[in-house]
Amino acid sequence: NLDLRGAQALPELLKNEESIVHITGHELHGMNGLARISWFKVFMPDVYRNVDKILMFADWVCYKLTGQVSSEPSIACSSQMFDIHTLDYSGNLMRELEIREDIFPEVSQAHESIGTVLPSVAQFTGLPSGIPVFNAGGDTQLGALGMGMVSPGDYGVIAGSTTPVITLINSSNVYPSTGIETNNYTMPGMW
């Protein structure tokens, strides 16, 4: 995903940078969800007004499988509208930035089934109809879990399209102006 048009919306977002970083754990970047949403709001207001829901990639796949709209915290935090401290989308931040509050999905936890495979999807894909679907987490977070990272202080490197060095912490600390992001983890009580 190389869509950087959100960079054009960054100058306006810089006015609220401190609260954005404190709430979301992410510094401003043109590829983050907030910058992209803001770009549509400014440069394609008709499209923005007609948005039903904003879904991250994993949310969209689960929606296509189940017809249910949901997001899991380790995925939702990449929207940069998610409060990593409260584990929910930030109404305060949306109001501060004049972003619609109705366009974000309900939040479910990684261990909660969000629905089952629809019969039409089963027929098309060959998946069994009615099997439970879980929006289980972000790719980096699930990679860390797969490596056995389950305790604060565990650390590792996930190699893929990026190669983040990650460590688990047991608090939603934010590290402004360091290039360090704080993301929700798939296990409760860890970031």
Side-chain angles (χ1 to χ4, degrees):
N1 189 354
L2 302 174
D3 180 359
L4 286 172
R5 65 183 142 184
Q8 295 174 335
L10 292 178
E12 187 66 27
L13 293 173
L14 284 171
K15 299 172 188 174
N16 302 87
E17 183 175 26
E18 187 176 332
S19 62
I20 292 168
V21 173
H22 172 73
I23 291 169
T24 70
H26 292 198
E27 293 182 15
L28 291 171
H29 190 281
M31 200 161 33
N32 285 345
L34 172 59
R36 292 176 182 182
I37 293 164
S38 298
W39 185 90
F40 276 98
K41 183 180 152 200
V42 172
F43 295 101
M44 295 188 81
D46 290 340
V47 172
Y48 174 77
R49 275 192 297 277
N50 289 302
V51 167
D52 182 37
K53 294 291 181 215
I54 300 286
L55 302 175
M56 302 299 105
F57 290 132
D59 304 335
W60 178 78
V61 169
C62 289
Y63 167 71
K64 295 300 278 185
L65 291 171
T66 67
Q68 301 299 313
V69 177
S70 179
S71 192
E72 184 275 340
S74 70
I75 295 169
C77 65
S78 66
S79 71
Q80 203 173 21
M81 293 303 302
F82 194 77
D83 188 328
I84 63 168
H85 312 283
T86 65
L87 305 179
D88 204 355
Y89 287 94
S90 175
N92 289 338
L93 185 56
M94 289 180 230
R95 286 185 291 278
E96 183 178 326
L97 299 174
E98 299 178 0
I99 299 285
R100 289 177 40 210
E101 294 183 54
D102 64 327
I103 58 177
F104 294 95
E106 295 295 319
V107 177
S108 61
Q109 298 303 311
H111 63 277
E112 297 173 341
S113 172
I114 62 164
T116 60
V117 171
L118 296 168
S120 59
V121 173
Q123 184 177 1
F124 181 75
T125 64
L127 292 169
S129 180
I131 62 170
V133 174
F134 297 80
N135 201 347
D139 55 356
T140 298
Q141 293 89 332
L142 290 176
L145 184 61
M147 291 185 340
M149 295 176 62
V150 295
S151 301
D154 288 351
Y155 60 92
V157 175
I158 305 294
S161 55
T162 63
T163 308
V165 177
I166 57 175
T167 188
L168 297 184
I169 57 176
N170 60 0
S171 65
S172 57
N173 293 343
V174 175
Y175 306 92
S177 303
T178 63
I180 297 173
E181 291 184 352
T182 303
N183 291 288
N184 294 100
Y185 196 49
T186 55
M187 295 177 61
M190 284 193 273
W191 290 259

